[in-house]
């Protein structure tokens, strides 16, 4: 049972369920060990596919065994949905009206203009059927609504709660969020996802002559969402002439989140949700990789 109660006498409640399953798998070969992880969360227990999630974790662990390095340079990359979601969660934090008003977002000043590739449409849908973050109202009791955050690269909307909306002289978008009744609300996302494309992952890979299929990312907590600068560790599989090749790790992916958004070439059709965030595989051009 979820209850929203405000000082204005608004008292609302709704019932919901949830189930989650996570697994870590250890693989070993020739003295090298790798861990593969996978996670799934659904509104209903019957919607969870334990076999699929377990097989994904096994494949992740096995794919990274005996990994090496590649030379440094600008390369095209394809992000696994779980990795793309981690980047989208960072971008979501920069879409708060509070961050915009305090000039603490790398996207400040882009509202109403192009802030990403025309190949990106980013949607926030609190009314998604069986969505993990679905709700008819936010944590202030304001009715929620579906929004296109980026529409073909144009930044159309950001997240407002009542306080930040009052400061800008507009109405709340129904995106107030708080951890518990003890904390103040702040603007946040609901079911945020990249609109999937029409082609499968296999076809995206065929379009890459030299690149990396990124399966894991490390150091995301160090990304600066004010400047947008990032430098994170990655591991995955190299892509050579449109085919997956050898496993690679110990690489650094560096750049700026503005460049990241601007260089999105295509989203696949394999969207996966991790809690309230979802993404398909994403092809991004010309990012700097250190070997």
């Amino acid at each position: 049972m979820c209850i929203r109660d405000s000082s204005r006498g608004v008292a609302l409640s709704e019932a919901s369920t949830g189930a989650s399953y996570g697994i870590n798998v250890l693989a070993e070969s020739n003295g090298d060990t790798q861990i593969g992880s996978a996670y799934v969360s659904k509104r209903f227990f019957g919607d969870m596919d334990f076999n699929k999630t377990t097989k994904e974790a096994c494949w992740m662990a096995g794919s990274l065994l005996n990994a090496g390095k590649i030379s440094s340079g600008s390369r095209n990359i394809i992000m696994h949905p779980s990795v793309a979601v981690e980047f989208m969660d960072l971008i979501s934090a920069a879409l708060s009206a509070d961050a915009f008003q305090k000039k603490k977002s790398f996207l400040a000043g882009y509202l109403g203009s192009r802030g990403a590739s025309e190949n990106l449409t980013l949607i926030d849908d609190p009314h998604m059927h069986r969505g993990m973050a679905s709700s008819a109202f936010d944590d202030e009791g304001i009715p929620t609504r579906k929004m296109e955050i980026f529409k073909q690269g144009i930044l159309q909307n950001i997240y407002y709660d009542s306080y930040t909306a009052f400061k800008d002289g507009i109405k709340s978008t129904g995106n107030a969020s708080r951890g518990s009744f003890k904390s103040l609300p702040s603007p946040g996302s609901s079911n945020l996802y990249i609109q999937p494309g029409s082609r499968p992952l296999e076809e995206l890979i065929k379009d890459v002559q030299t690149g990396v299929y990124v399966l894991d990312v490390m150091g995301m907590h160090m990304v600066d969402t004010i400047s947008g600068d990032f430098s994170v560790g990655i591991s995955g599989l190299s892509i050579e002439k449109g085919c997956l090749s050898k496993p690679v790790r110990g690489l650094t992916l560096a750049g700026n989140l503005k460049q990241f958004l601007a260089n999105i070439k295509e989203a696949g059709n394999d969207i996966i949700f991790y809690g309230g965030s979802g993404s398909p595989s994403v092809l991004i051009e010309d990012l700097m990789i250190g070997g």
Side-chain angles (χ1 to χ4, degrees), residues 77 121 150 202 206:
I77 69 168
T121 294
F150 282 101
E202 293 75 16
K206 289 179 180 179

Side-chain angles (χ1 to χ4, degrees), residues 19-21 39-44 48 130 132 273-276:
S20 62
Y21 167 67
Y39 171 82
V40 62
S41 58
K42 298 288 185 180
R43 281 290 191 182
F44 296 95
M48 297 203 299
R130 296 195 174 189
M132 288 299 294
F273 272 85
Y274 300 89

Side-chain angles (χ1 to χ4, degrees), residues 14-284:
E14 58 186 353
S16 63
T17 60
S20 62
Y21 167 67
I23 183 171
N24 294 320
V25 175
L26 181 67
E28 188 274 336
S29 175
N30 299 323
D32 182 33
T33 59
Q34 292 294 321
I35 296 177
S37 302
Y39 171 82
V40 62
S41 58
K42 298 288 185 180
R43 281 290 191 182
F44 296 95
F45 183 85
D47 289 343
M48 297 203 299
D49 189 334
F50 295 95
N51 289 334
K52 180 180 179 181
T53 304
T54 302
K55 286 179 180 179
E56 179 181 358
C58 292
W59 181 83
M60 287 277 192
S63 295
L64 296 175
L65 283 170
N66 303 308
K69 292 189 176 183
I70 55 176
S71 59
S72 301
S74 178
R75 297 174 184 269
N76 296 344
I77 69 168
I78 296 177
M79 287 189 170
H80 185 274
S82 63
V83 176
V85 158
E86 291 199 55
F87 275 89
M88 286 303 108
D89 285 344
L90 284 176
I91 292 165
S92 172
L95 291 167
S96 161
D98 183 61
F100 269 59
Q101 291 166 354
K102 295 177 179 178
K103 307 299 182 184
K104 291 186 175 181
S105 169
F106 74 95
L107 288 168
Y110 280 85
L111 188 59
S113 62
R114 182 169 301 283
S117 162
E118 64 181 11
N119 301 308
L120 174 69
T121 294
L122 187 65
I123 299 170
D124 190 279
D125 185 4
H127 300 161
M128 179 182 293
H129 181 59
R130 296 195 174 189
M132 288 299 294
S134 294
S135 179
F137 44 85
D138 70 2
D139 283 348
E140 292 178 322
I142 305 295
T144 55
R145 61 184 176 91
K146 181 178 179 180
M147 295 193 301
E148 288 181 315
I149 305 300
F150 282 101
K151 183 177 182 180
Q152 296 178 343
I154 305 298
L155 182 56
Q156 304 268 28
N157 292 286
I158 60 176
Y159 300 121
Y160 281 95
D161 59 3
S162 293
Y163 176 72
T164 53
F166 176 79
K167 289 178 69 175
D168 279 356
I170 62 174
K171 292 183 178 181
S172 169
T173 57
N175 287 101
S177 176
R178 61 181 183 177
S180 74
F181 68 92
K182 296 180 181 180
S183 60
L184 293 173
S186 60
S189 63
S190 61
N191 299 304
L192 180 68
Y193 66 95
I194 295 177
Q195 181 173 280
S198 59
R199 298 202 299 162
L201 170 62
E202 293 75 16
E203 292 189 16
L204 299 188
I205 292 172
K206 289 179 180 179
D207 286 348
V208 177
Q209 288 300 301
T210 304
V212 177
Y213 179 34
V214 182
L215 299 177
D216 191 25
V217 61
M218 295 144 284
M220 294 293 282
H221 63 286
M222 300 293 291
V223 177
D224 185 350
T225 56
I226 300 176
S227 67
D229 292 334
F230 66 87
S231 180
V232 296
I234 60 170
S235 56
L237 298 169
S238 65
I239 304 174
E240 301 294 338
K241 297 180 179 179
C243 296
L244 293 179
S245 184
K246 62 184 180 181
V248 291
R249 68 168 180 259
L251 307 179
T252 300
L253 178 66
N256 186 277
L257 292 174
K258 288 181 184 178
Q259 176 195 16
F260 174 92
L261 291 171
N263 290 13
I264 291 177
K265 178 65 180 299
E266 187 175 354
N269 65 0
D270 54 342
I271 187 168
I272 301 175
F273 272 85
Y274 300 89
S277 302
S279 176
S281 300
V282 180
L283 170 59
I284 307 170

